[in-house]
Amino acid sequence: MINLNPIMLSGKEVLPLIEGGKGINGSNGFSSGAWARENCVGTFSGVSPDFYDDKGNVVIETFMKKIRKDRHEEMIEYAIKGGVAQAEVAHEISNGNGRIHMNMLWEMADSERIISGVLERAKGLINGITCGAGLPYHLGELASRFGVYYYPIVSSARAFQVLWKRAYSKFTDYLGGVVYEDPWLAGGHNGLSNAEDPNQPQKPYQRLVELRKFLTSINLKDLPIILAGGVWSLDEWKDYIDNPEIGKIAFQFGTRPMITKESPISDAWKKVMMQVKKGDVILQKFSPTGFFSSAIKNTFLERLIERKNGEVAFKNEADAEFSHPLQMSEHRTVFIKPSDAPKAEKQLSAGFTDIQETPDSTVVFMTPQEVAQMKKDRAGCVGCLSQCQFSTWSRANGTTGKLPDPRSYCIHKTLYEVGHGGSVKDHLLFAGHQVYRFATDPLYRNGIPSVKELIEKIKLGQ
């Protein structure tokens, strides 16, 4: 048994165990309510959450507007309805125990409007907001206005220092804690900075110590730090508990709760996760957000990798270095390095005959079917991100002004579809780097456990 002392989170003493919020349909009111019922913190996703009709059936998003900015407004309203619906489900299931948090992607377009809309319509049902994927400067002001605690997700002490100095120092009353998410081990989007090597992971201990030192320097020595990313068994983190260098700490479980009876992901998705081997989760930068992210290597991800590996630099005019002609289309010829000519020819011969320009003066090779699907996805863009490299949508200006990037994908479409029964081979499957451990975890040998059963094992350190 691990010595787990209750900790004050969002105004109540609870066990220092938190369900990670994840993205579209990765956690919902059913899973978060079950976590709260065990006097822990449950977290549902505020990114395109489900809402229900009068019979309790999920209402599948259907966008009727022809103009992208109007579809964006539809998406906002769907998200607010869904957030309220999941808060109501979680509150009912929790039986008044634990705490309920909502997780929001800050880079989601109009994330502030969504948070405000949900908190306004679900007063008293949500105790905290966690937020990452960007620097959520306005989160403190927004949460404080509604009397709800806020938990920024950061990957370093430096990131929190920036948030503190620019915004959070004015809104300390509702700062509930700081989530340190390991940028090398966490699933989904990761907070790697340009100064950090994705291939050289650092241990979290010293990074947590640095974060605690800064919190102490600003008179927040007792503010909880929540460790996220790579957390599977508390037995592996005993040195972090009751450690004066780290101080008050709670543990967020992102991947492990995805295979529970209450988890909303499909049985096919759970089956894939049970079969993942070490190394099958890849840290890559294909996301249209521009951030690094971690996902399971499947057909979807393999094709993106293959496309990227086939990338070739070009110039519009020939010179001494770029002298080999490459016919982009009937009316356009560009020039590539002669050394890249065999790579280009190999792809063309394999059927990747549609050549697409990237924003970086390179080209990639795609099948006509892939290009047709890409154009269809762009035409159906709902403006889900503040800026999108795939569709060039910009919430601020309407467009980024750059070429759409064929090395990326429509993130809203792929996450929503796989979260609602879509193919687990042909869509993105975000996952943490510990997912391979499902295959050898004794808890899963006799079937899928309930949240209660999982938490009991966690409390034992198993």
Side-chain angles (χ1 to χ4, degrees), residues 199-347:
N199 298 313
Q200 295 293 326
Q202 298 176 18
K203 297 288 186 181
Y205 187 90
Q206 191 57 43
R207 295 166 77 92
L208 291 176
V209 170
E210 291 173 5
L211 178 56
R212 177 57 68 195
K213 285 180 179 178
F214 178 73
L215 292 174
T216 300
S217 74
I218 56 174
N219 298 317
L220 293 176
K221 67 181 181 65
D222 292 326
L223 189 75
I225 293 175
I226 298 162
L227 176 61
V231 180
W232 190 273
S233 166
L234 290 185
D235 190 56
E236 299 159 0
W237 303 95
K238 288 187 293 187
D239 293 344
Y240 289 60
I241 300 172
D242 297 326
N243 186 317
E245 285 196 303
I246 294 174
K248 288 186 179 178
I249 188 169
F251 297 89
Q252 180 170 300
F253 295 79
T255 298
R256 208 173 177 196
M258 293 184 75
I259 303 186
T260 56
K261 292 177 180 176
E262 293 87 349
S263 169
I265 70 171
S266 68
D267 290 342
W269 191 344
K270 292 174 183 176
K271 183 177 180 181
V272 168
M273 296 181 80
M274 289 291 292
Q275 297 172 345
V276 168
K277 296 179 176 61
K278 191 171 185 178
D280 285 350
V281 173
I282 300 173
L283 181 62
Q284 33 68 36
K285 209 174 184 183
F286 296 116
S287 170
T289 62
F291 297 137
F292 278 96
S293 65
S294 294
I296 296 171
K297 189 176 181 181
N298 60 0
T299 303
F300 179 89
L301 197 54
E302 285 175 345
R303 180 64 192 113
L304 287 169
I305 294 170
E306 184 180 27
R307 188 178 304 162
K308 174 66 177 175
N309 289 340
E311 188 175 12
V312 172
F314 79 92
K315 288 186 177 180
N316 288 310
E317 302 292 337
D319 61 19
E321 185 179 14
F322 290 80
S323 59
H324 186 86
L326 177 68
Q327 189 171 351
M328 289 270 290
S329 65
E330 183 179 353
H331 304 290
R332 186 183 180 194
T333 297
V334 298
F335 297 89
I336 64 176
K337 297 176 182 178
S339 59
D340 283 331
K343 180 195 287 189
E345 184 57 40
K346 182 178 180 180
Q347 293 179 88

Side-chain angles (χ1 to χ4, degrees), residues 10 127-131 136 139-141 143-144 148-152 160 164 167-178:
S10 297
N127 310 114
I129 300 289
T130 58
C131 199
L139 180 62
E141 178 183 5
S144 299
V148 170
Y149 291 88
Y150 67 102
Y151 299 81
F160 182 73
W164 174 260
Y168 293 172
S169 59
K170 302 172 185 176
F171 304 98
T172 58
D173 289 349
Y174 286 96
L175 178 58
V178 180

